[in-house]
Amino acid sequence: MEATSLTNTVAESEAQAALRERQGKGARYDSPAAPASDLTLARLGTAYFARSLNAIRDEDLSQDSLIPGWSRRHVIAFVAYQARQLALAIEAVHEGAPLPEIDQAGMLALVDDGATLPARALRNLVDHAEVHLNVGWRDLSASAWQEAIKWDGALLPLRMTPWIRARSVWVHAVDLDNQGSYLDFPPVLLEAMAVELVRDNEFGHSSLTRNAGGVWIVNSLKAESSVSGAPADIVRWLSGRGARRLSKTAESVSSFDLTRWPPVPTRPA
């Protein structure tokens, strides 16, 4: 088994080396020190968001999103400017420049302005900002991945930025209220989000368990109650997007300000 594994590893390395030689010096690759699984989730989520956005006609962009008080335009602008601000901060780390900082009020001001852009400009903003962020990630060295940036009043480890982006693009694709569904989320994403939400929300002193049938159960010690359901439905409810197909009627998690969720963690994962 070990010999076979070593042979496969060598073959994979040789194939990657051959690919890089064909693509030339201008091609960019993630550092081996990068958080590969989170980057994969972020990039898959970006494609998922793009499909949802591309299915919306320009004249329908001003319709309400699932976030109270926000149109689809606001959601799109948020996704774009989040990528842009992360990219600028990462760029500063890469260049050794002073770290830029944007707080929540500044971000929401950008979103309000971005929501007024013409449809084509708004779509281009999303595309260009995402390319900017992806290039920033791929330019980071192994040592740079250990640095931190300023984000919403706190120091945020760079290693957490792909996870922040992954949560955001997947959830906000659903917020566009056009074909997006938590049922489409990768299982590994659902599990990570559920663990984080149960740990950080104000549902009570809670725990997450699962039974042999794959049903997830959120137990609230504070309320002496529990809510159970399929993983996608549990995460949908915990993230403040409403209760569907759960074991009991669960009230929305009112403690979330949906314009801010997914929140930026203030501690390393």
Side-chain angles (χ1 to χ4, degrees):
M1 290 292 292
E2 292 182 359
T4 300
S5 177
L6 178 60
T7 300
N8 290 339
T9 300
V10 171
E12 182 178 350
S13 298
E14 291 176 348
Q16 291 175 344
L19 176 61
R20 295 186 181 194
E21 184 176 352
R22 291 196 302 272
Q23 291 179 330
K25 295 182 179 180
R28 288 180 167 89
Y29 305 93
D30 296 329
S31 165
S37 59
D38 287 346
L39 282 168
T40 296
L41 287 174
R43 288 161 179 160
L44 289 173
T46 296
Y48 184 71
F49 184 89
R51 288 195 297 272
S52 294
L53 174 56
N54 291 340
I56 300 175
R57 299 179 301 175
D58 287 353
E59 55 266 34
D60 294 332
L61 291 178
S62 297
Q63 292 183 5
D64 290 341
S65 73
L66 294 185
I67 297 178
W70 271 16
S71 69
R72 287 168 168 168
R73 286 178 164 274
H74 288 84
V75 174
I76 297 162
F78 179 86
V79 167
Y81 282 118
Q82 183 197 55
R84 178 63 54 79
Q85 296 305 317
L86 285 172
L88 290 174
I90 290 170
E91 198 172 74
V93 170
H94 179 69
E95 296 176 353
L99 294 179
E101 183 173 5
I102 186 165
D103 58 17
Q104 194 62 29
M107 175 66 80
L108 296 181
L110 285 173
V111 169
D112 285 339
D113 287 343
T116 66
L117 291 171
R120 183 175 180 180
L122 188 57
R123 294 178 190 274
N124 286 339
L125 178 65
V126 173
D127 293 341
H128 294 164
E130 181 54 44
V131 169
H132 190 185
L133 176 57
N134 209 38
V135 168
W137 278 331
R138 286 184 168 159
D139 278 349
L140 285 173
S141 64
S143 60
W145 273 111
Q146 309 308 315
E147 300 293 333
I149 62 174
K150 293 179 180 178
W151 191 259
D152 201 17
L155 282 177
L156 178 72
L158 267 177
R159 296 189 64 81
M160 294 184 70
T161 58
W163 171 240
I164 288 170
R165 187 60 177 168
R167 294 180 315 183
S168 188
V169 287
W170 283 99
V171 172
H172 292 318
V174 175
D175 289 335
L176 290 176
D177 198 18
N178 187 66
Q179 303 179 5
S181 170
Y182 280 75
L183 295 171
D184 296 331
F185 287 23
V188 66
L189 176 66
L190 288 173
E191 181 163 2
M193 287 175 60
V195 169
E196 184 174 80
L197 285 164
V198 168
R199 180 192 68 201
D200 293 346
N201 72 27
E202 296 181 15
F203 176 62
H205 299 289
S206 308
S207 64
L208 176 70
T209 59
R210 64 209 75 188
N211 63 25
V215 173
W216 286 10
I217 306 165
V218 178
N219 300 290
S220 173
L221 302 179
K222 183 177 180 180
E224 295 184 350
S225 64
S226 64
V227 176
S228 62
D233 296 324
I234 287 291
V235 175
R236 186 182 196 280
W237 168 60
L238 284 172
S239 66
R241 268 61 179 184
R244 292 180 181 174
R245 298 178 292 270
L246 298 175
S247 61
K248 57 186 290 187
T249 302
E251 296 181 357
S252 296
V253 182
S254 58
S255 61
F256 284 124
D257 174 356
L258 296 187
T259 60
R260 294 195 61 177
W261 202 91
V264 175
T266 56
R267 57 182 179 277

